[in-house]
Amino acid sequence: MDLSTLDIAVIGAGIGGLAAARACALRGARVTVYEQAEQIAEVGAGLQISPNGFAVLRGLGLSGAVEAAGDRAGAVSLHDYRRGPVLRLDLTRLESRDYWFLHRADLIDLLHVGAVDAGVCIRLGTRVEDPGALDADLVIGADGLHSVLRPRLNGTLAPFFTRQVAWRAVVPHDGSRKDEARVHMAPHRHLVSYPVRGGAWLNLVAVEERSAWAEESWSAAGDPNDLRARFADFGPAAKDMLKRVNKVGKWGLFRHPVAPVWTDARFALLGDAAHPTLPFMAQGASLALEDAWVLADAVAKAPDMATALAAYQARRIDRATRVVAAASGNAWKYHISSKPLRLAAHVALRVGGAVAPGRMMHQFDWIYGHDVTGGETL
Ligand SMILES: Cc1cc2nc3c(=O)[nH]c(=O)nc-3n(C[C@H](O)[C@H](O)[C@H](O)COP(=O)(O)OP(=O)(O)OC[C@H]3O[C@@H](n4cnc5c(N)ncnc54)[C@H](O)[C@@H]3O)c2cc1C
């Protein structure tokens, strides 16, 4: 289809919505984004963009902006919570060096500027209650976890609490660690930290297993002293980071089924609205970017909207389902509670890292090496 003949409405100015808006506008469509928030404000903490997500940002002509705002990741290291280093994975061995640490607000900002530059109209403070009332040839539901479009296409799909809670904070840092993510692994808990904004800050995500329910919201506040108490048996490196927390968010981790139906007539879901994921593969943002590219590409290549939307879902659902399943299966690996089992697992990781470092890295090629753009730039 010729996108210059289309009016497209996007619900949600998150990462997926803004990327889809720019992708469609660069192909000629008239695009309006409806965002419930009054302003595109500084919310959230660090995000990781792996090479598969970066490929889309490059295809959208935004690689320079990412390089200016982000920090290129060089390594991920795994640590026992008390005994110290277990394994260091060298990300420079990846085929693409474009693994990035970003502040979510910086990524949203560069996508926002990119969308406006492409001619997208953004209507802030406009919550969509009824997607069917939007007058457009295509309505894209990029409205996240609590999507209004998802239940319209799928009914209500109940999530279940994973018995894990994530604490999120950004703490000041001296700039000494610019390119390394660290995971401190403990019984029933782990702490992930990585630099953002040139190492001036560290993004912390502390995950703990617990039986009580916690709210599923990025903005629920937690108590820093409670966080420190729950990780009090960690060694000095982790404690030093937690000491600096003065504001923390708390997020109940829920597993949601991938939506079986992503599209209908003139409606399409993308990003978290279609396939919310647990954070253990750090793929939420990158998957939303992939969806955004493929949706615009499918519309451009198909003769009509029905064919386009069917092709979009067919190109995306298996991959999204596989990545979401990989993230769901990953948490226990960090949380082994039996001491002998934990030590044995750490020895196996150390030996694997020493004997076959390439193999440790290349296990993720199917995620990171997937380039939905095929090298194209809009
Ligand atoms: C406030 C916030 C903070 C986050 N912080 C982090 C973080 O620190 N680390 C991390 O890894 N991930 C974070 N995420 C999640 C991460 O950004 C997403 O997993 C990923 O980017 C996929 O995003 P998405 O575009 O599908 O949806 P989202 O990024 O969730 O964006 C959805 C957008 O839709 C808007 N919206 C929802 N309903 C409506 C409606 N009815 N009408 C109009 N607008 C609507 C929302 O306000 C939001 O801007 C955060 C998400 C949000 C919304």
Side-chain angles (χ1 to χ4, degrees):
M1 272 182 291
D2 174 1
L3 270 81
S4 68
T5 64
L6 299 179
D7 283 301
I8 296 180
V10 180
I11 313 172
I15 291 161
L18 291 170
R22 178 164 166 95
C24 292
L26 289 176
R27 291 176 185 270
R30 288 175 300 281
V31 185
T32 306
V33 178
Y34 300 87
E35 168 56 49
Q36 63 186 2
E38 293 293 336
Q39 45 182 313
I40 309 248
E42 172 127 354
V43 192
L47 275 178
Q48 300 179 38
I49 295 292
S50 46
N52 50 311
F54 182 81
V56 173
L57 293 164
R58 189 202 54 233
L60 292 175
L62 298 172
S63 54
V66 174
E67 282 163 27
D71 295 289
R72 200 188 292 268
V76 178
S77 63
L78 304 181
H79 299 245
D80 179 83
Y81 72 128
R82 286 192 179 149
R83 292 162 167 256
V86 172
L87 175 71
R88 187 171 185 279
L89 294 173
D90 182 0
L91 296 178
T92 63
R93 299 176 74 104
L94 288 173
E95 200 168 309
S96 163
R97 288 282 342 268
D98 286 310
Y99 198 115
W100 292 86
F101 300 136
L102 283 139
H103 196 292
R104 183 175 182 276
D106 296 338
L107 180 57
I108 289 280
D109 187 50
L110 71 89
L111 284 165
H112 181 207
V113 170
V116 171
D117 283 352
V120 172
C121 167
I122 300 186
R123 295 183 51 184
L124 297 173
T126 315
R127 180 174 164 81
V128 174
E129 298 294 350
D130 176 10
L134 292 172
D135 182 18
D137 301 296
L138 171 63
V139 176
I140 300 175
D143 47 350
L145 202 52
H146 304 293
S147 168
V148 288
L149 184 57
R150 178 177 163 119
R152 189 187 159 108
L153 302 187
N154 293 275
T156 306
L157 305 168
F160 69 88
F161 184 45
T162 61
R163 300 185 176 272
Q164 296 178 81
V165 170
W167 304 74
R168 298 177 314 118
V170 182
V171 299
H173 187 56
D174 60 10
S176 59
R177 173 154 53 114
K178 283 197 170 53
D179 71 345
E180 185 177 309
R182 287 188 191 152
V183 185
H184 287 86
M185 307 174 289
H188 307 296
R189 288 152 302 157
H190 74 271
L191 171 67
V192 180
S193 59
Y194 54 84
V196 288
R197 294 183 172 160
W201 301 89
L202 282 180
N203 181 65
L204 306 184
V205 182
V207 177
E208 101 182 94
E209 295 169 13
R210 59 156 79 173
S211 50
W213 179 89
E215 194 184 344
E216 191 179 28
S217 158
W218 286 106
S219 46
D223 174 356
N225 288 327
D226 188 16
L227 167 66
R228 281 186 277 273
R230 288 170 186 277
F231 289 73
D233 53 343
F234 276 53
K239 271 194 180 141
D240 178 56
M241 293 186 273
L242 295 173
K243 197 171 70 189
R244 285 175 260 158
V245 174
N246 58 27
K247 195 173 158 219
V248 67
K250 205 163 73 177
W251 172 259
L253 297 177
F254 286 71
R255 254 174 92 166
H256 295 252
V258 171
V261 180
W262 293 23
T263 67
D264 181 37
R266 62 187 182 102
F267 300 101
L269 292 171
L270 66 71
D272 282 4
H275 46 71
T277 175
L278 292 173
F280 304 126
M281 294 297 294
Q283 283 296 305
S286 292
L287 279 183
L289 290 167
E290 289 183 10
D291 288 348
W293 179 278
V294 173
L295 178 54
D297 185 60
V299 173
K301 286 186 174 140
D304 56 64
M305 195 57 82
T307 312
L309 297 187
Y312 161 63
Q313 171 160 346
R315 281 168 64 181
R316 294 300 301 153
I317 193 165
D318 287 351
R319 173 166 171 82
T321 304
R322 197 173 164 208
V323 175
V324 169
S328 302
N330 227 12
W332 70 270
K333 294 179 188 163
Y334 298 144
H335 291 186
I336 303 173
S337 56
S338 140
K339 193 169 177 186
L341 266 184
R342 194 171 65 250
L343 296 182
H346 292 179
V347 169
L349 281 170
R350 266 194 207 100
V351 171
V355 174
R359 202 161 137 222
M360 300 291 276
M361 284 312 306
H362 293 305
Q363 63 181 310
F364 300 121
D365 281 357
W366 67 275
I367 297 181
Y368 303 153
H370 189 82
D371 179 354
V372 292
T373 71
E376 186 185 354
T377 301
L378 295 181

